[in-house]
Amino acid sequence: MAKWQHDGPILEIDKLSISFFTRLREIPAVMDFSVIVEPGEAVGLVGESGCGKSTVALGVMQDLGKNGRITGGTIRFKGRDLSTLSEEELRGIRGNEIAMIYQEPMASLNPAMKIGRQLMEVPMIHEGIGKAEARARALEVVTDVRLPDPERVLNSYPHQLSGGQQQRIVIAMALMSKPSLLILDEPTTALDVTVEAAVVELVRDLGKKYGTSMLFISHNLGLILETCDRLCVMYSGEAVERGSIEDVFDEMQHPYTQALFRSIPLPGADKNAHPLVAIPGNFPLPHERPPGCNFGPRCDYFEAGRCDAQDIMMESVPGNDRHHTRCLRFREIDWQAPPAAAETKEKGEIGEVVLKMDNLKKYYEVAANALFGGGETRVVKANETLSFAARESETLAIVGESGCGKSTFAKVLMGLETATEGQILLDGRNIEQIPIEARDTKTVSDIQMVFQNPFDTLNPSMTVGRQIIRALEIFGIGRNNAERRTRMLELLDLVKLPRAFADRMPRQLSGGQKQRVGIARAFAGGARIVVADEPVSALDVSVQAAVTDLLMEIQREQKTTLLFISHDLSIVRYLSDRVMVMYLGHVVELGTTDQVFAPPYHPYTEALLSAVPIADTSVEKTHIVLEGDIPSAMDPPPGCPFQTRCRWKSQVPGNLCEEEVPPMRDLGGNHQVKCHLSEADFARMEPVIKIAAE
């Protein structure tokens, strides 16, 4: 099919409104939304879940399902109104002219078909080219997305690739017919930060190579800064601010944009001296939007009788390039004024050692042929000689990519698995061989866990109050139901949920509220150690700030030891007292937060820091992209586990890195690094993140 020729903007969305119709009512999802994407331009669409970002993308694809309808405005692609096209014309555009990359790569791949064939189908269907030419193009695109051994990849099935590789294949598939517009809907949320960095760089380079225009949907402002030229901020179905990256980041003109930035842990944030400022109140439901400005009830600058008196239109900001805001008061607000100081918190006094791990190992035996069993068994070394101590009131962050052994270690600590070797001491008692069903009530209530996904951890058919009371019954707290009910209400106060929520069902709660219930349940038995496994990664930015703040506050009151498992180094830097970096089952670096975030680093820590997207235009980062994927724990490389991806390896004489596991070395002040590099090499390391002088 021939491509359309057009000189003007690739995509023009003008005053678009989209509603979904249920039997009860019309639910407006997007209102008065306008954005323009010029040829070769990358535009970011930012906002929290439920603000309508993905609905806009589905509107562009004309794929709103049977109860979604465009109720106003137009979407023009290369000058043509998409709503006037026939089904057949739309089929010719989708995948050929406009391609979309979704959040979950496996949703776009056919599990029963080899990768090569899936890629070849795209140009064969859209452009009618022959098999040989399609295969040659597939090989070229797989090479472009930097996958190792492209021939082998084309002959693989999707399940034989890692998540990062699958996402690259989906990107390759989207690029197969060289589309004019690429829509990316949160394409890296499911990926590790190092893989994300590589994929983002890839998308940016390929956009330039193919001249593709992009609409990049994300809730991560740092990613948008690194990939886009312009951005549009959405709140509750409306665009509230549009402009170039520099204008919006450095001269924001909308209270919501400002509030978003204040709830992200940028370099310099400190949980005691400069706590994050969470946005007050909750996101409005589509059928409960306030009159006038949607953000009004949560805005610091709200003026009754004015901000809620009429619909508010987008206005252009004088002096800036295509910069618009939906705020009546933007000319009156002093945008440079420092935030009202959030109250500074007293740092909790770090106490005695509560938990000690000594040379902990966890190996799994698996059949080499996992599908049919039998044959030889292979050993998966999930944790290798882990040693550390955690103290009362301390936050120890455990950082690393998926597959590094973070969650295995948490399972052994919780008693869901038992250790292969080594010991875990809780208050001097060995617990590494006691499975959870054999642990006494006190040990179970002492070590609790807050999980990543609040949706999966609550019983959908039981009220919030009943779930907390059950935990109290199991921990033997309270002599009767009345006492337990009183304690349950106190726990709701502790996690700052209204007491009325005791009678609500989980489905009536937002993600952030569910996570608070999970936290209340974890603290029901007066937990001494709480393992927080990615507790905020499923939550929106503004909710993240409130939930991390809550964890810190409870920690100050209850002197809890917090083991914070995360791959988000910005939050780790903000929250933790000490950081433990893991790679392929090994602890490769352990020290205070200041030691781990400043050189000298372990080469892996250095690469992790370089990969973190930071939403600050004054930050300069050293650019390090890790080549290759994490090796398998079933077949780890010999010598140092990181040597296959290390950029410093050539500094070490001989084949030492490939032959010997490095010893754990003390760089002074209890800062430990597992690495063969010499003192001179460590001394040469530069900081990865530099804040440019004003």
Side-chain angles (χ1 to χ4, degrees), residues 306-615:
R306 189 174 159 202
C307 296
D308 52 5
Q310 82 243 24
D311 283 348
I312 293 165
M313 297 299 148
M314 282 295 240
E315 286 190 66
S316 76
V317 177
N320 280 351
D321 160 48
R322 288 160 58 199
H323 188 178
H324 295 81
T325 178
R326 194 183 293 271
C327 177
L328 282 181
R329 303 197 53 199
F330 78 95
R331 291 182 183 83
E332 308 156 25
I333 294 169
D334 177 3
W335 296 103
Q336 302 308 318
E343 52 181 305
T344 53
K345 306 284 192 336
E346 278 302 306
K347 183 166 167 27
E349 204 45 54
I350 292 180
E352 298 296 309
V353 170
V354 180
L355 179 73
K356 193 166 189 308
M357 288 213 178
D358 229 355
N359 289 331
L360 179 81
K361 287 186 182 178
K362 177 63 187 170
Y363 292 175
Y364 293 97
E365 279 200 6
V366 294
N369 186 337
L371 196 55
F372 303 108
E376 52 172 333
T377 55
R378 306 272 296 275
V379 171
V380 176
K381 299 180 173 182
N383 287 155
E384 279 282 14
T385 58
L386 279 179
S387 296
F388 70 88
R391 295 171 175 75
E392 188 179 79
S393 283
E394 177 177 57
T395 304
L396 173 68
I398 297 144
V399 178
E401 296 168 283
S402 36
C404 74
K406 310 186 294 278
S407 297
T408 301
F409 134 79
K411 283 179 188 160
V412 177
L413 178 60
M414 300 292 299
L416 300 171
E417 301 274 2
T418 52
T420 308
E421 252 182 59
Q423 48 182 358
I424 303 178
L425 298 165
L426 173 67
D427 295 327
R429 288 181 301 125
N430 285 67
I431 58 167
E432 70 282 344
Q433 291 304 332
I434 311 175
I436 190 144
E437 56 273 18
R439 289 186 176 183
D440 58 58
T441 308
K442 177 158 177 18
T443 309
V444 173
S445 63
D446 270 352
I447 307 178
Q448 281 292 305
M449 193 154 181
V450 178
F451 295 91
Q452 177 168 3
N453 198 338
F455 309 94
D456 298 343
T457 51
L458 297 179
N459 182 335
S461 56
M462 205 185 262
T463 63
V464 164
R466 183 76 201 109
Q467 305 204 33
I468 298 174
I469 288 174
R470 269 209 68 192
L472 293 168
E473 284 169 359
I474 291 165
F475 298 146
I477 288 169
R479 283 168 303 194
N480 52 37
N481 233 357
E483 281 189 16
R484 284 193 275 271
R485 186 164 175 85
T486 307
R487 175 76 186 127
M488 177 269 293
L489 293 171
E490 286 167 2
L491 283 162
L492 287 179
D493 296 343
L494 181 74
V495 296
K496 299 193 168 56
L497 282 177
R499 288 187 164 197
F501 275 38
D503 301 320
R504 288 202 183 177
M505 302 302 272
R507 66 169 185 276
Q508 297 169 293
L509 273 55
S510 70
Q513 290 166 340
K514 285 183 189 160
Q515 193 58 294
R516 285 165 188 255
V517 177
I519 293 171
R521 209 171 46 178
F523 281 95
R528 312 260 315 282
I529 298 168
V530 169
V531 181
D533 188 359
E534 301 269 13
V536 292
S537 62
L539 306 177
D540 275 316
V541 189
S542 59
V543 185
Q544 271 185 12
V547 171
T548 44
D549 208 41
L550 173 71
L551 278 171
M552 293 294 98
E553 207 158 301
I554 297 177
Q555 182 183 45
R556 285 186 196 98
E557 278 176 30
Q558 318 252 344
K559 296 192 173 359
T560 322
T561 305
L562 201 57
L563 299 181
F564 194 86
I565 298 176
S566 180
H567 67 269
D568 181 343
L569 285 165
S570 319
I571 285 197
V572 164
R573 181 179 205 159
Y574 170 68
L575 278 187
S576 56
D577 302 302
R578 282 191 311 137
V579 180
M580 177 164 106
V581 183
M582 288 183 72
Y583 184 81
L584 211 60
H586 291 258
V587 174
V588 294
E589 182 162 7
L590 180 61
T592 64
T593 309
D594 291 343
Q595 288 168 338
V596 172
F597 277 78
Y601 314 101
H602 185 282
Y604 176 57
T605 312
E606 181 187 51
L608 273 184
L609 288 173
S610 156
V612 179
I614 298 174

Side-chain angles (χ1 to χ4, degrees), residues 28 109 119 232 261 334 338 361 499 596 603 622 686:
L109 294 172
L119 289 172
C232 173
F261 274 93
D334 177 3
K361 287 186 182 178
R499 288 187 164 197
V596 172
T622 311
E686 299 267 313

Side-chain angles (χ1 to χ4, degrees), residues 124-136:
M124 284 165 74
I125 289 170
H126 284 297
E127 299 168 47
I129 65 175
K131 241 180 178 168
E133 194 184 333
R135 175 134 188 128

Side-chain angles (χ1 to χ4, degrees), residues 158-394:
H159 71 267
Q160 294 171 309
L161 306 178
S162 70
Q165 289 174 330
Q166 288 170 359
Q167 192 60 291
R168 283 164 192 246
I169 290 297
V170 173
I171 292 171
M173 199 184 286
L175 292 169
M176 273 304 280
S177 58
K178 305 198 167 73
S180 309
L181 177 68
L182 189 55
I183 301 175
L184 301 106
D185 190 358
E186 300 271 13
T188 58
T189 329
L191 304 178
D192 275 313
V193 63
T194 50
V195 183
E196 173 179 83
V199 168
V200 161
E201 185 186 47
L202 174 78
V203 166
R204 203 173 47 212
D205 293 353
L206 291 174
K208 289 195 171 57
K209 173 175 175 176
Y210 289 107
T212 313
S213 302
M214 290 194 280
L215 189 60
F216 197 117
I217 297 173
S218 179
H219 63 269
N220 184 330
L221 284 160
L223 269 188
I224 295 290
L225 171 71
E226 294 188 4
T227 42
C228 298
D229 308 300
R230 308 180 58 73
L231 108 132
C232 173
V233 181
M234 282 188 83
Y235 180 80
S236 187
E238 295 179 324
V240 292
E241 185 163 10
R242 279 195 309 264
S244 70
I245 293 286
E246 288 74 23
D247 287 347
V248 177
F249 273 64
D250 299 337
E251 295 180 38
M252 53 194 76
Q253 299 284 316
H254 195 282
Y256 175 62
T257 316
Q258 185 182 51
L260 261 189
F261 274 93
R262 287 179 179 173
S263 60
I264 319 175
L266 295 173
D270 173 314
K271 63 181 178 187
N272 299 309
H274 301 285
L276 297 179
V277 185
I279 304 177
N282 284 319
F283 199 76
L285 292 169
H287 54 280
E288 292 173 359
R289 291 190 177 109
C293 173
N294 279 347
F295 188 58
R298 306 174 74 188
C299 178
D300 292 342
Y301 309 104
F302 179 74
E303 199 178 297
R306 189 174 159 202
C307 296
D308 52 5
Q310 82 243 24
D311 283 348
I312 293 165
M313 297 299 148
M314 282 295 240
E315 286 190 66
S316 76
V317 177
N320 280 351
D321 160 48
R322 288 160 58 199
H323 188 178
H324 295 81
T325 178
R326 194 183 293 271
C327 177
L328 282 181
R329 303 197 53 199
F330 78 95
R331 291 182 183 83
E332 308 156 25
I333 294 169
D334 177 3
W335 296 103
Q336 302 308 318
E343 52 181 305
T344 53
K345 306 284 192 336
E346 278 302 306
K347 183 166 167 27
E349 204 45 54
I350 292 180
E352 298 296 309
V353 170
V354 180
L355 179 73
K356 193 166 189 308
M357 288 213 178
D358 229 355
N359 289 331
L360 179 81
K361 287 186 182 178
K362 177 63 187 170
Y363 292 175
Y364 293 97
E365 279 200 6
V366 294
N369 186 337
L371 196 55
F372 303 108
E376 52 172 333
T377 55
R378 306 272 296 275
V379 171
V380 176
K381 299 180 173 182
N383 287 155
E384 279 282 14
T385 58
L386 279 179
S387 296
F388 70 88
R391 295 171 175 75
E392 188 179 79
S393 283
E394 177 177 57

